[in-house]
Each structure stands twice: as structure tokens, then as C-alpha cells.
Amino acid sequence: MGWKMSLAMAALLLGLTMVVTEDEEENDPCVYEALSDNDAVLCKGLEVFYPELGNVGCMFVPVCNNYRQKITSWTEPIVKFPGAMEGATYMLVMVDPDAPSRSSPKAQFWRHWLVTDIKGIDLKKGKIQGQELTAYQPPSPPAQSGFHRYQFFIYLQEEKTISLLPKENKTRGSWKMDRFLNRFHLSEPEASTQFMTQNYQDSPILQAPGGGSSEPKDKPKPT
């Protein structure tokens, strides 16, 4: 009888452990969710690393650990292209196509970062050293504007001298990215990726009842 009692007790404990574990997983807000297949099409060979999060390529920034607020103040990420040719020169572009919102992208594209003259040998290691035409601006999606895509592109620059027009330098928003690329005969990117996040105040676990509305205005905001 003793061994049967021990076996029954062990089975009971195992069942309780499994139930508790499942409950913890269901209640754990730290879920690293991958992008949908449609959005994942852009994820091609590029890695983007932020502190604590690691590589955010092709994923949603998780709600846990206040990551959606932290990413708005972190400095530029490590961008690594393992497939870069060591002797080549590249350009990095980071944009938000969903400014001020994905449903009404009146300020598409919002230019977050633009760096030229990056050596392939550095890009392979994640060192973005070159001519910074637009300083890095962290993702800061407006409240109540939904999820924003933050896209990174690597273009083969070759011997071209890249520059922004004076009118392009005046603002980050409503950047005609296609015209810019056509001006320098840049077509398909060598590598790309994107991640998605929303304003941290819009996260379900952080929303407080009775809060005021913060609908985005027509005037573009930093995103």
C-alpha cells in the first residue's frame, strides 16, 4: 500500500504543478509575439538589437518590463548585417510608415535614422560608423494611434555620395523616400527588417479607467 500511496501522491503533485505552470504562462505578460506573415515579408537578413530585448527583428515589442516605454529613451540599436561584403559601402535607413497612424499615414515616411558610408566590415559586426545625415530618434508612437511599424533597410551605396536636399533636412515627417532612393539610383535593399510597438499607455495592462482621450491630431508628432 505504501508504494501505491506514494505513486498517487506523486501524480497529484505533478498535476498541480502543470496547472500552476499553465496559469503562469497565461498570466505572464512577457510574450514575444512574432509579426504576421504579411508583415514578416520585410524580414530579410538584418538583425536589430536593443538593450534587454535582444534582436527585435520581425516581432512585437512585448508589454512586460516596461519595454514599450524604455524603447522610447534608449539610444540607437545595434544593427547587424551578417551578409555584408567587407569591401563594400552601405547606407542604413530607419523609417516609420505609419505616422501618425497606420490607418491614416499622413506623415509617411517619418525618418528616424539615416546613415551613409558604412563599411561592410563594420556592418557585419553591428558597428554603424559613417556619415549620419539624420540623427537617431527613438520610436515614440502617439497615444491611441495603434501599432506602428519601424522599418530598417540596408542599401548598397557603392561609390555614390548621398545627401539630403535642404527641404528634406527641415523635417523628418512626410519624407518622400521613393524619390530619395530614385535620385541616387538605389533600388532593392540588400537586407531589411521591422518590428512593431505602440504607445506604452495603450497597453491593456497599463490602461487606467477614466483616462482622457489622446487621439492623434492632424499635425504629425514624433513617432
Side-chain angles (χ1 to χ4, degrees):
M1 291 295 292
W3 68 270
K4 290 183 178 179
M5 183 67 72
S6 298
L7 186 60
M9 185 62 70
L12 179 61
L13 289 173
L14 179 60
L16 288 173
T17 301
M18 291 177 67
V19 170
V20 170
T21 302
E22 288 175 359
D23 287 345
E24 287 179 348
E25 289 178 351
E26 289 178 1
N27 296 326
D28 183 8
C30 202
V31 177
Y32 287 73
E33 183 181 352
L35 299 185
S36 68
D37 290 342
N38 287 339
D39 285 320
V41 170
L42 201 69
C43 305
K44 299 177 181 178
L46 197 60
E47 301 170 358
V48 177
F49 297 87
Y50 280 95
E52 301 180 38
L53 281 171
N55 185 10
V56 296
C58 224
M59 63 172 278
F60 289 89
V61 173
V63 177
C64 62
N65 299 324
N66 214 20
Y67 287 142
R68 290 181 182 173
Q69 183 177 18
K70 288 180 178 178
I71 202 170
T72 66
S73 60
W74 282 332
T75 57
E76 64 270 12
I78 294 171
V79 180
K80 184 183 296 185
F81 177 29
M85 298 180 290
E86 294 189 0
T89 303
Y90 295 90
M91 177 182 71
L92 165 66
V93 179
M94 175 187 175
V95 291
D96 173 7
D98 303 323
S101 69
R102 192 165 184 174
S103 60
S104 181
K106 299 175 183 178
Q108 184 187 76
F109 289 85
W110 193 281
R111 194 173 65 253
H112 277 265
W113 200 15
L114 178 60
V115 186
T116 64
D117 302 313
I118 306 169
K119 295 180 180 178
I121 192 170
D122 290 331
L123 190 55
K124 286 175 72 77
K125 301 174 184 177
K127 296 180 180 179
I128 304 302
Q129 299 176 338
Q131 182 69 25
E132 193 173 59
L133 300 185
T134 301
Y136 176 75
Q137 182 184 66
S140 300
Q144 302 297 317
S145 67
F147 280 94
H148 287 233
R149 293 167 291 172
Y150 292 91
Q151 302 177 335
F152 295 76
F153 300 94
I154 295 293
Y155 292 92
L156 185 62
Q157 184 178 335
E158 298 177 333
E159 302 300 322
K160 301 180 180 73
T161 300
I162 309 293
S163 61
L164 289 169
L165 298 174
K167 63 180 180 180
E168 291 176 308
N169 260 324
K170 289 181 179 179
T171 179
R172 293 173 181 262
S174 301
W175 185 41
K176 307 303 181 186
M177 183 174 167
D178 289 345
R179 293 182 186 176
F180 169 80
L181 295 173
N182 289 335
R183 195 160 73 239
F184 297 103
H185 306 289
L186 299 169
S187 53
E188 292 298 315
E190 298 295 306
S192 59
T193 193
Q194 65 179 341
F195 66 85
M196 292 177 66
T197 188
Q198 66 175 351
N199 188 288
Y200 73 96
Q201 295 175 325
D202 297 339
S203 299
I205 63 171
L206 296 176
Q207 286 178 343
S213 175
S214 299
E215 290 293 330
K217 310 299 181 185
D218 289 340
K219 184 178 179 181
K221 299 178 182 178
T223 63

